[in-house]
Amino acid sequence: MLKNNLKIFCYSTAVILMLSSCASNLSVNTSYNVKELNLNQYSNSNNYHYLMAFTYFYNNNIKDGIKEYELFLKDNPQKQSYVEFVNLLIRFQDFNKAQEVLQTAIEKYPKDKQLYLLLSDIYVIQNQYKKAIDVLIKSGIKTFDVYKNIALLYAQIGDVNNAINYLMQARQFSTLGEVYFYISQIYYKFNFNDNALIYLQMSASHKYPKAYIALGDMYAKQNNYTKAIKYYEDFLKLPDKNKEEMVYVYTTLASIYYSVDKDLKKAIEYYKRAYELDKSQLNLERLSYLLLQNQNYKEVVNLLSNNENIDHSSTLRYFLGVAYFSSKNYKQALLEFSNVDFASDLYTDAQAKKALCYLETKESKKAIETIQKVIETNPNEELYKTYFYILNQQKDWDGLIIALKQSIKVVKDKEKIYFYLGDVYYDKKHDKQKAIHYLDEALRINPNDPEVLNYLGYLYIDENIDVKAGIEMVQKALKLQPNSPYYLDSLGWGYYKEKRLRLALYYLEKANRLLKKPENTIALHLAKVYNALGYKIKAKKIALEVLKNEPKNKEARQLLETLK
């Protein structure tokens, strides 16, 4: 009926446009006044009321359009016209009128099965399941789909016995595998899970594809992924499978391998199979995401750079930008990130990546302007982290301090910001007092932050501000993280400052043993303790190793001078 509707609609519209074009003194409008249209020339035609109906529909005057179509039906009581009118009424959501028209049509065409099915569908839309059942039974249609629908409708009203009964009768029209499958679904609806499982397994034994999928879904829901995978893979071995089911199974297997088994290669393999069958935007996005996770940047570029889907997906634009960025093609990455739509959830991230592209192409001013602009519109912690990184790379310590202070309003863990401020003031600006102030602020918020305790404790020790207080802070940090080589180094250095050399030796040797790779500062602390204890050879050996790693290390050179 769609073709007929379209034909009449175009014809009606053509008449309207033709008549309106004759009125040259009138301005063009998007709607038409029916009273001004001269349709009298069609008044003796069978199509007069039909044209009037569609003219009203075109002007969104549904009420008068329906009246005109009813007048048309009186003169043209054809089955095709009844069906078209019902479809229009459904579109206008006048279901009661649609029922009335169909009942009239059935009286005229009692042997037409399509009318019964359409009336049943309208009852279902209105949740009048019993009436839908009665119409289907009255229709006398004997097919599996009709018997299945009757069964499912009985299940909908809670009548399990009749539901099962109709499905058992449906065996004459279909395979046992299909019948058993729908019986299992009805048992599941009423939480008869044992019966449902039995019938699902019976269905699978008859090689019914949906049963394998249902069993896979059931075991996946129970987190029994081994059995789930078995049923999904057994499904893929079946000869009779439709494309939609295969795509579903491929994507589900990919999801399990990615989320549960952490097997990226397997997940990618199954998403590739899904995409081969269904080259939808969604499947392309999923596949691209996993390829990025697996660092297959070149493959993502090849997959997306000339793909027509990319013009309709900001997500794909973003993924392609990430692939270019990770491949160090910053100019092309910049172009892709610039094409991410403002309405996209990834717009903010794309702007942050743009800023990093500018940083890599040595356009630091643009990098800072871009990240500042996006922070103004959407300030969040991740954007500030990017901003901090850019400023740090530029060694703009004053700018970094300003940015850190601004971020305090946004960042949840404010003690971390105070800690970073303390670090910048101490390590970059060499302002001990301000460093201590911000580190104290961090401890005020969280007195048990081991990283801050160690940092401030070490500062007190190394700067000889209050070695005893510094040791106490480091000891507190070590209670929280007893095997941190950095905290052990701080404590050992504190004991060295107090001339408690044996204790210093114990903690500094332990710190060096726990390090995954040598740290020059910690190594030199131990060398100084060796020197103080008279172990000159050991001290010299460490100093030489430090110089090998860092030839310009002044402390190592000074230590070697004292060891001559």
Side-chain angles (χ1 to χ4, degrees), residues 103-163:
Q103 286 163 349
T104 302
I106 287 171
E107 289 175 7
K108 289 184 177 294
Y109 302 98
K111 294 182 179 180
D112 194 292
K113 307 302 183 185
Q114 181 189 6
L115 298 174
Y116 290 96
L117 295 175
L118 193 51
L119 181 56
S120 171
D121 287 343
I122 291 171
Y123 283 134
V124 170
I125 291 170
Q126 294 184 286
N127 299 327
Q128 297 177 14
Y129 303 121
K130 187 65 175 69
K131 287 185 177 181
I133 291 169
D134 292 341
V135 168
L136 288 175
I137 293 172
K138 185 179 178 182
S139 74
I141 302 172
K142 296 186 182 298
T143 65
F144 176 77
D145 282 339
V146 168
Y147 273 67
K148 177 192 73 178
N149 288 340
I150 292 172
L152 295 176
L153 288 168
Y154 270 122
Q156 197 68 34
I157 62 176
D159 190 340
V160 182
N161 292 331
N162 267 321

Side-chain angles (χ1 to χ4, degrees), residues 401 405 420-436 438 455:
I401 286 169
K405 289 179 179 178
Y420 297 149
L421 277 166
D423 180 46
V424 174
Y425 272 116
Y426 182 59
D427 192 49
K428 307 301 181 186
K429 300 291 289 181
H430 309 295
D431 187 332
K432 287 183 284 188
Q433 294 307 313
K434 284 188 177 177
I436 291 169
Y438 284 109
Y455 195 105

Side-chain angles (χ1 to χ4, degrees), residues 244-503:
E244 290 75 18
E245 290 171 343
M246 290 177 70
V247 170
Y248 173 79
V249 169
Y250 283 142
T251 55
T252 304
L253 280 167
S255 179
I256 291 173
Y257 279 117
Y258 174 69
S259 304
V260 180
D261 288 359
K262 310 300 179 187
D263 189 337
L264 261 177
K265 289 184 178 179
K266 275 272 191 184
I268 289 170
E269 175 192 333
Y270 280 113
Y271 266 131
K272 282 183 176 179
R273 292 186 191 179
Y275 183 63
E276 284 172 10
L277 290 175
D278 177 14
K279 295 190 181 299
S280 66
Q281 180 178 308
L282 178 60
N283 283 336
L284 184 56
E285 288 174 359
R286 289 167 169 171
L287 176 58
S288 301
Y289 176 78
L290 290 187
L291 288 170
L292 287 175
Q293 291 284 304
N294 206 41
Q295 301 181 8
N296 295 13
Y297 305 125
K298 186 176 180 180
E299 192 170 351
V300 174
V301 170
N302 292 337
L303 184 65
L304 298 182
S305 55
N306 295 311
N307 195 296
E308 61 183 14
N309 279 304
I310 201 165
D311 293 329
H312 312 291
S313 171
S314 285
T315 300
L316 292 175
R317 287 281 185 197
Y318 178 81
F319 287 163
L320 182 55
V322 171
Y324 278 128
F325 184 88
S326 302
S327 304
K328 299 186 178 180
N329 187 343
Y330 302 116
K331 289 186 178 179
Q332 200 63 41
L334 190 60
L335 180 64
E336 298 303 332
F337 291 134
S338 297
N339 282 323
V340 173
D341 191 80
F342 179 78
S344 169
D345 291 339
L346 292 169
Y347 176 79
T348 298
D349 289 337
Q351 294 303 302
K353 291 287 193 300
K354 270 180 68 176
L356 292 173
C357 286
Y358 284 128
L359 182 68
E360 294 294 342
T361 56
K362 310 300 181 187
E363 298 174 89
S364 56
K365 186 177 180 182
K366 282 187 178 180
I368 291 172
E369 286 174 354
T370 301
I371 197 67
Q372 283 177 336
K373 186 176 179 181
V374 73
I375 283 175
E376 283 176 13
T377 57
N378 184 23
N380 65 59
E381 190 166 343
E382 291 305 312
L383 287 177
Y384 268 112
K385 285 179 181 178
T386 302
Y387 192 17
F388 300 156
Y389 174 78
I390 292 170
L391 292 167
N392 187 69
Q393 291 297 107
Q394 293 300 115
K395 295 182 169 48
D396 183 357
W397 311 127
D398 290 331
L400 180 54
I401 286 169
I402 292 169
L404 283 164
K405 289 179 179 178
Q406 287 174 346
S407 73
I408 291 172
K409 297 177 183 177
V410 175
V411 176
K412 184 179 178 182
D413 297 326
K414 299 186 186 327
E415 68 271 21
K416 295 298 181 187
I417 298 300
Y418 288 128
F419 172 59
Y420 297 149
L421 277 166
D423 180 46
V424 174
Y425 272 116
Y426 182 59
D427 192 49
K428 307 301 181 186
K429 300 291 289 181
H430 309 295
D431 187 332
K432 287 183 284 188
Q433 294 307 313
K434 284 188 177 177
I436 291 169
H437 167 75
Y438 284 109
L439 292 168
D440 280 337
E441 280 295 299
L443 288 175
R444 181 181 60 79
I445 297 171
N446 182 7
N448 295 312
D449 187 321
E451 193 174 15
V452 180
L453 285 165
N454 176 70
Y455 195 105
L456 185 56
Y458 182 81
L459 190 157
Y460 272 44
I461 292 165
D462 198 53
E463 297 289 343
N464 296 312
I465 294 170
D466 188 337
V467 175
K468 184 179 179 182
I471 287 173
E472 288 173 357
M473 282 187 268
V474 174
Q475 286 172 331
K476 189 174 179 181
L478 277 166
K479 284 182 180 178
L480 298 165
Q481 291 183 11
N483 290 316
S484 167
Y486 303 99
Y487 304 171
L488 290 165
D489 168 69
S490 297
L491 185 58
W493 191 237
Y495 287 134
Y496 171 79
K497 290 276 188 171
E498 288 190 331
K499 310 296 182 186
R500 300 162 73 181
L501 299 179
R502 288 295 170 186
L503 277 173

